[in-house]
Amino acid sequence: MDAHVGARLKRRRVELRLSQGELANLLGLSFRQIQKYENGSNRVGASRLYDVARVLGVSVDYFFAEMSAKVEAAAVPRMAAAMPVSDAGSPQFQNDVIELIRAYRAITDHRIRRRVQDLAKVLADMPEP
């Protein structure tokens, strides 16, 4: 996932014809930090990703676009491990999570995305039948 985000960062930087040093200056970072982000050896934190997106003129979603199914699938076990659900490790659960992520990412209207998040939170707080 980090390598994918880094590759997308580099792609956009090159499209804008910015050097790593120029991007680093715009973000108040070192040239080396940009290199580490781009090669995936350092994870780009949420607030930094937001700053990078603004400087590069894209939405944060841009960095997760065109993600291969292999990269998405690799993220699912980490997500499932953090969830207190008894069947979180099952293949069906993992497939359900991937399908849910894909559907969520397909929602382009940020207001609708927020409503889906709110709905999920409400449903998660519901007692088991």
Side-chain angles (χ1 to χ4, degrees):
M1 181 85 59
D2 297 334
H4 177 82
V5 169
R8 297 287 293 173
L9 189 159
K10 180 177 183 177
R11 178 179 175 179
R12 181 63 178 159
R13 177 184 59 76
V14 170
E15 285 173 358
L16 296 175
R17 295 188 174 116
L18 288 171
S19 70
Q20 288 177 327
E22 289 168 331
L23 179 58
N25 286 336
L26 290 170
L27 293 167
L29 300 172
S30 70
F31 160 82
R32 183 70 180 130
Q33 188 62 45
I34 298 299
Q35 281 184 321
K36 289 178 180 182
Y37 287 155
E38 287 186 356
N39 70 28
S41 63
N42 277 16
R43 176 170 291 159
V44 184
S47 60
R48 177 76 67 215
L49 190 59
Y50 178 79
D51 293 340
V52 170
R54 290 190 63 181
V55 166
L56 296 179
V58 294
S59 69
V60 172
D61 292 350
Y62 169 86
F63 298 101
F64 301 97
E66 300 176 9
M67 189 176 300
S68 71
K70 183 178 177 182
V71 172
E72 282 187 26
V76 171
R78 290 191 306 274
M79 292 167 46
M83 300 175 132
V85 178
S86 60
D87 64 345
S90 75
Q92 182 57 49
F93 179 84
Q94 292 183 6
N95 289 337
D96 290 347
V97 170
I98 290 171
E99 186 176 336
L100 183 62
I101 291 169
R102 285 185 177 144
Y104 180 79
R105 287 181 51 213
I107 301 169
T108 57
D109 186 321
H110 73 281
R111 294 169 298 189
I112 294 174
R113 276 189 177 196
R114 174 56 60 194
R115 293 177 106 180
V116 169
Q117 288 174 8
D118 293 342
L119 174 63
K121 289 174 187 175
V122 168
L123 294 174
D125 288 337
M126 294 177 64
E128 293 284 327

